[in-house]
Amino acid sequence: MSDKCYLEIDGKKIELPIKKGTVGPSVIDVRDLYKNSGYFTFDPGFTSTASCQSDICYIDGDKGVLLYRGYEIEKLAEKSSFLEVAYLLINGELPNKDKYIEFSDAIKNHTMVHEQIRSFYNGFRRGGHPMAMMLAVVGALSAFYADSSNVNDPKEREISSRRMIAKVPTLAAMAYKYSIGQPFIYPDNDLSYCENFLHMCFAVPATKYKINKSVSNALEKIFILHADHEQNASTSTVRLAASSAVNPFASISAGFSALWGPLHGGANEAALNMLKKIGSVKNIPEYIKKAKDPNDNFRLMGFGHRVYKSYDPRAKVMQKACYEVLDALGKKNDEVLKVALELEKIALNDDYFIQKKLYPNIDFYSGITLSAMGFPPEMFVVLFAVARTVGWIAHWSEMYSDPLNKLNRPRQLYIGKNKREFVDQDKR
Ligand code: ACO
């Protein structure tokens, strides 16, 4: 395969280098295109643009493959733990026992948040979305932990990374507790990462939370599945914000903002709401019809993906975890699950969905699972963000050790007015 290609513009032949990755499509390096031709490339939505080089995560959307640092997502979900996966994503290798103990102890060491952070929550309306609270409090960490905010110092980067992995679940549980009017529960460092999160969400001072192993194991899987997904909208947002060398907490808070939308991390909430709205198996054909109608902007939430044009490999693991949780909690006859199963069956056999390669994505089953665990829909995206914090941090760390890293500054195709004379207000 060639290592260069040519572009002919205005009678001039321009050579463009081709860069090859380990696997996956090669890229045409257009960095010097403007300098050599006076032209930019145009790619709204970045459908054909690689914004960076990365060795963290690989997706083959046609085959339905997802690898973290070369390991298949299915294997990691089956055999690993969330903290081990966090170590892998950030450091590039699975930890041996000593390294794992050092890492998990360090995370436990940071699970508490500054006591004054509690008072932030009192400023929010009780009914406010917990994700709205998260954007604010994660960004506000920069006002508390300025001693680890020098992004050019690898040691400070490590400390702030560990602080965020440890504190984001505590902040998320606090947002939930605040929204339901219950007192905050301090972390319990005798518990695993996921058990501790469940404890902070569901314990009350009067009653200890009894850990259900099936539920905490399923949460471990859910967190692993959501931990990273290469240059998605929120990770790209983190990279873009971080390219200005802003402090780490501000960059990660930008990731929270981008993740919240229903086309990204908010889709699991939207998927569950949609399943509830469909309500019964008999109403499915009406909704399938709406989804196929080009004049109706209704979409089957939890279906389709920008990259996967095959079954999302995470959706398969998620489906299994969903059954396990519903089984363990005695909720297998759940009406929403029945609607989901039937909807999936009908859509997978429908020409519209087959031709457009629309398969269930991870969000289709995660909402049902989290709901069965006791989380309200508005917490789904918060849980997604807790897990994805690890991926954002891995990409954020990688950026700073990449010699190609520079301020991200896309260009545009300007279609506005050309220079014109200012007209005084009384003459307009
Ligand atoms: N239901 C019905 N039709 C759909 C759906 C859907 N869920 N998704 C895409 N289509 C159709 C579009 O109408 C479009 O049809 P057209 O070619 O006739 O205009 C075609 O499929 C392609 O859709 P695009 O929006 O151009 O594809 P894109 O790659 O931009 O969309 C997206 C990806 C945004 C995820 C889309 O499939 C969608 O809106 N899905 C529902 C929301 C969702 O589940 N998001 C979660 C994504 S996973 C995640 O972030 C973790």
Side-chain angles (χ1 to χ4, degrees), residues 262-265 267 291 298-306 309 314 352-353 356 358 361-363 384:
L263 297 189
H264 191 9
F298 172 80
R299 284 187 172 197
L300 278 193
M301 300 313 282
F303 266 78
H305 197 275
R306 172 62 62 81
K309 299 303 167 198
R314 302 167 304 170
Y352 174 92
F353 292 89
K356 292 190 191 297
L358 299 168
N361 58 48
I362 185 171
D363 297 313
F384 187 161

Side-chain angles (χ1 to χ4, degrees), residues 76 133 139 252 334 341:
L76 291 169
M133 301 179 199
I252 299 300
D334 189 271
L341 284 173

Side-chain angles (χ1 to χ4, degrees), residues 45 47 226 229 232-233 259 261-268 270-271 274 287-288 290-294 296-309 312 314 352-353 355-364 384 388:
T47 50
H226 286 86
H229 214 225
N232 56 84
L259 186 77
L263 297 189
H264 191 9
N268 48 16
M274 176 196 76
Y287 283 87
I288 295 270
K290 274 166 76 63
K292 288 159 59 173
D293 181 353
D296 190 329
N297 60 14
F298 172 80
R299 284 187 172 197
L300 278 193
M301 300 313 282
F303 266 78
H305 197 275
R306 172 62 62 81
V307 182
Y308 293 118
K309 299 303 167 198
D312 178 344
R314 302 167 304 170
Y352 174 92
F353 292 89
Q355 269 164 25
K356 292 190 191 297
K357 299 186 175 172
L358 299 168
Y359 294 87
N361 58 48
I362 185 171
D363 297 313
F364 192 65
F384 187 161
R388 186 56 60 85

